[in-house]
Amino acid sequence: MLHYFKHKFFGLFAVLFFCMALPSLAGAWVTVKGDGDRWMKFGAGLRSSFQTTSNPSVDARGGDVALEEMRFYTLTQVHKNIVFEFNTEVRNRRNDRTLTGAYNRGADSDGYHDIFVLDARATLTVGGFDIWFGKFLPPSERSNLDGPYFLNAWDFPLATSPYPQIAAGRDQGVMIYKEYGGGKFKWAYGAFEGRKNASNSDTNPDENDNFQHGFRATYNFWAPEPGYYTTSAYYGAKDVLAVAFVARYETDGAGTGVTSTTQGDYFGWNIDALMEKKLSNGAVVNLEGSYYDTDTDDIDDGTITQGQGYRMLASYMLPNKVGWGKFQPYVRYQHFAQDNACAGNYCGSSNFGTRGIMEGGLNYIIDGHNAKIMSSFISDKQSSQAEPISRFILGMQFQLL
């Protein structure tokens, strides 16, 4: 294992020291003011990484160096009570087997990128309630509402994130959102399209087109967190202690067909918590955890795995700047245990699959989530594997938001 990574060592540190010399990037929307209450804001984000893996058969997002994604954000207010959001994303689709013909370039090519609609939603504020409709993130766990740009680690926690999606956690639907005390307490409930062929690799089990219901409620014991979207790190800007509960349900939302033996109801719920505290010496301690339970009525599903999972993360941002930023070491562990017989990704020879992902890393925070360099060493063990798969990631993230 050490021999595999040895030849990458000096190159990685050269990149790291280069990043330490970058200037601080001020993050803010670019705003175009219209007449009256109308305005339009623009933003953008870029994530690129260098990765190595101990298993060459595992796709490391496009090889040694990859453009993970690039996003273009817009937010427009057309009336003092009406805003709409339109965001796009450039995805790395290298060796994507769902693509056909010339678009599937194969494992030995430089790959293929596409642009797709990430979010397209409007929000009406009526009597203190926000009504959302369109394509956006449904009520779900904090990590999903963070998105990749507002996590405290590079990799999105896919091992534990249990909720169905069209793409990038999104679905199409309508939602009502309300907050109190500037975000001290907030809740959201929505009805969404749910299981479709686009979010299920097998035959759609929900032939009656039932809605998938989603609910999230959050209480902040310390500083409030205004707004529907979340972040997993404030880097000392505020002290936060938040606890949330999430539930998602869809009749006939699980399975691989429409018979009694291939169709079941889907129900998933989770609890997540975040604690961040700035210490007297200027350092920042961050603790995050979540627990998940997913039920498919004991029906095998090619997309959703029935079982329980949990995730824990701890980080410590050092108080003193080094160059243009501060260092932040972290550790994270994810665990998932399957509790029904299946043939899914997590199943071992006993048909009760487990997966555990242990990782540690060192982040370099230049300007919060707008400019940071993140490194991770990851050991991923599944019960169906004889040996864990190890990866090293050096990722760079920059955004104007």
Side-chain angles (χ1 to χ4, degrees):
M1 185 67 240
L2 291 176
H3 175 74
Y4 179 82
F5 293 113
K6 188 176 180 180
H7 71 286
K8 308 289 185 182
F9 183 84
F10 292 106
L12 294 173
F13 272 86
V15 173
L16 181 60
F17 283 121
F18 166 76
C19 295
M20 290 171 58
L22 288 172
S24 179
L25 302 177
W29 290 89
V30 175
T31 303
V32 177
K33 181 67 176 175
D35 60 319
D37 296 317
R38 297 191 297 177
W39 47 256
M40 189 170 188
K41 297 181 178 181
F42 299 90
L46 170 70
R47 281 165 52 92
S48 186
S49 69
F50 175 94
Q51 301 195 29
T52 58
T53 176
S54 63
N55 187 346
S57 66
V58 176
D59 180 16
R61 289 194 178 89
D64 283 344
V65 179
L67 169 65
E68 298 257 352
E69 61 195 24
M70 184 169 183
R71 294 182 175 182
F72 181 67
Y73 309 106
T74 69
L75 186 66
T76 305
Q77 180 170 290
V78 298
H79 181 272
K80 65 179 181 178
N81 294 320
I82 303 173
V83 299
F84 68 86
E85 179 183 30
F86 179 71
N87 305 325
T88 61
E89 178 175 293
V90 178
R91 293 181 294 189
N92 185 356
R93 299 295 293 271
R94 177 184 185 273
N95 200 27
D96 189 335
R97 301 305 180 186
T98 66
L99 301 174
T100 59
Y103 293 113
N104 187 355
R105 308 297 180 88
D108 298 324
S109 75
D110 291 333
Y112 167 70
H113 295 83
D114 69 353
I115 300 176
F116 76 106
V117 175
L118 186 66
D119 302 282
R121 60 93 181 175
T123 299
L124 282 67
T125 301
V126 180
F129 292 87
D130 292 342
I131 302 172
W132 295 42
F133 57 92
K135 180 185 179 184
F136 55 93
L137 289 168
S140 49
E141 58 165 337
R142 179 176 286 265
S143 293
N144 198 43
L145 294 178
D146 291 348
Y149 286 85
F150 292 90
L151 295 172
N152 213 9
W154 181 263
D155 255 11
F156 191 84
L158 292 176
T160 51
S161 184
Y163 299 115
Q165 58 178 310
I166 296 176
R170 272 71 176 174
D171 202 351
Q172 298 178 94
V174 60
M175 180 185 78
I176 184 169
Y177 168 77
K178 176 68 173 177
E179 65 180 45
Y180 306 86
K184 194 76 173 178
F185 175 71
K186 52 188 179 179
W187 61 268
Y189 164 76
F192 299 86
E193 283 291 326
R195 300 304 296 278
K196 299 291 183 184
N197 290 334
S199 59
N200 189 351
S201 59
D202 299 291
T203 302
N204 179 22
D206 187 7
E207 61 180 357
N208 293 321
D209 196 20
N210 297 298
F211 285 121
Q212 184 169 118
H213 303 272
F215 173 80
R216 177 181 174 90
T218 307
Y219 186 79
N220 283 275
F221 294 89
W222 297 347
E225 294 182 286
Y228 175 64
Y229 295 122
T230 61
T231 177
S232 283
Y234 289 92
Y235 302 116
K238 65 170 71 176
D239 292 341
V240 173
L241 178 59
V243 178
F245 172 78
V246 176
R248 297 268 285 271
Y249 175 81
E250 181 177 350
T251 301
D252 297 337
T256 58
V258 295
T259 67
S260 60
T261 59
T262 61
Q263 180 189 65
D265 296 338
Y266 163 75
F267 178 64
W269 65 272
N270 81 267
I271 297 174
D272 57 71
L274 173 69
M275 190 281 285
E276 179 169 303
K277 177 70 175 177
K278 188 173 183 178
L279 305 181
S280 59
N281 65 352
V284 179
V285 175
N286 182 295
L287 302 174
E288 185 179 4
S290 52
Y291 176 82
Y292 309 86
D293 188 284
T294 304
D295 191 333
T296 63
D297 266 357
D298 294 323
I299 299 295
D300 186 20
D301 188 291
T303 306
I304 305 173
T305 303
Q306 178 170 298
Q308 296 78 40
Y310 62 89
R311 176 173 50 85
M312 301 176 293
L313 182 146
S315 68
Y316 181 85
M317 190 170 75
L318 301 177
N320 299 319
K321 278 190 173 184
V322 179
W324 294 102
K326 296 181 179 181
F327 283 104
Q328 180 199 50
Y330 84 93
V331 292
R332 181 172 70 174
Y333 181 72
Q334 304 174 64
H335 181 85
F336 188 90
Q338 187 155 353
D339 62 7
N340 66 317
C342 66
N345 293 333
Y346 301 144
C347 292
S349 57
S350 65
N351 282 334
F352 290 84
T354 61
R355 184 179 185 183
I357 302 178
M358 185 70 206
E359 66 181 278
L362 182 64
N363 302 327
Y364 185 62
I365 311 302
I366 301 170
D367 182 21
H369 295 291
N370 293 308
K372 57 185 179 180
I373 315 301
M374 310 177 78
S375 66
S376 303
F377 182 83
I378 301 169
S379 179
D380 186 345
K381 180 66 171 71
Q382 297 186 28
S383 59
S384 57
Q385 300 167 347
E387 297 293 335
I389 295 175
S390 298
R391 288 190 296 143
F392 178 81
I393 306 172
L394 181 63
M396 304 180 189
Q397 172 178 309
F398 307 108
Q399 65 175 345
L400 183 67
L401 194 62

